[in-house]
Amino acid sequence: VSKVESKYKDLVIKTISEDVVRFIIRDNLNLEDQVNICRLLGSKSGICIQGITSGYLQFGPPKNEEKLAMNFCSSDFLTTQEKTLCYSILQENVKWVYSNDKYKAVCGEIPDQYKNVCVY
């Protein structure tokens, strides 16, 4: 990432962190370790968290993709700020990809303190 042109860094970070989810799922990697790698990116750590969240929606089990993303967002090792970002990205992706009923169902499962990310 350090060798990538500045204007492409965010895209590269997001794409790599999305893709790594395939290996997290397949190889049962320690997710906390992956998040700690995100945190090493400093001000870009949020983009990495966004990528992992999106990656779960891309590579999760068909028809239940949001379940793994929801589990990720509720992880105890995420900070409140990271959880807010995670739930925000989760609902945004679900809103654009799935039916309104599925969106409402997902938003209904988001903990109360983060429900403000859902826009009906």
Side-chain angles (χ1 to χ4, degrees), residues 64 66-71 73-74 87 90 101-115 118 120:
N64 287 307
E66 78 285 354
K67 300 291 186 208
L68 290 179
M70 188 71 77
N71 288 342
C73 292
S74 67
Y87 286 121
L90 170 61
D101 288 341
K102 179 112 173 183
Y103 175 73
K104 287 179 181 177
V106 168
C107 281
E109 292 182 34
I110 292 176
D112 288 343
Q113 72 186 83
Y114 303 102
K115 279 199 191 298
C118 289
Y120 295 99

Side-chain angles (χ1 to χ4, degrees), residues 19-72:
D19 281 349
V20 83
V21 172
R22 291 184 299 147
F23 302 104
I24 292 170
I25 293 169
R26 184 191 75 191
D27 299 336
N28 199 27
L29 297 177
N30 183 321
L31 187 53
E32 189 171 2
D33 290 345
Q34 307 312 307
V35 170
N36 285 331
I37 292 169
C38 289
R39 291 175 180 151
L40 293 174
L41 296 171
S43 65
K44 302 288 186 185
S45 66
I47 295 164
C48 186
I49 298 292
Q50 289 177 26
I52 292 174
T53 307
S54 296
Y56 274 117
L57 290 168
Q58 290 177 41
F59 302 115
K63 299 187 181 182
N64 287 307
E65 298 90 347
E66 78 285 354
K67 300 291 186 208
L68 290 179
M70 188 71 77
N71 288 342
F72 170 58

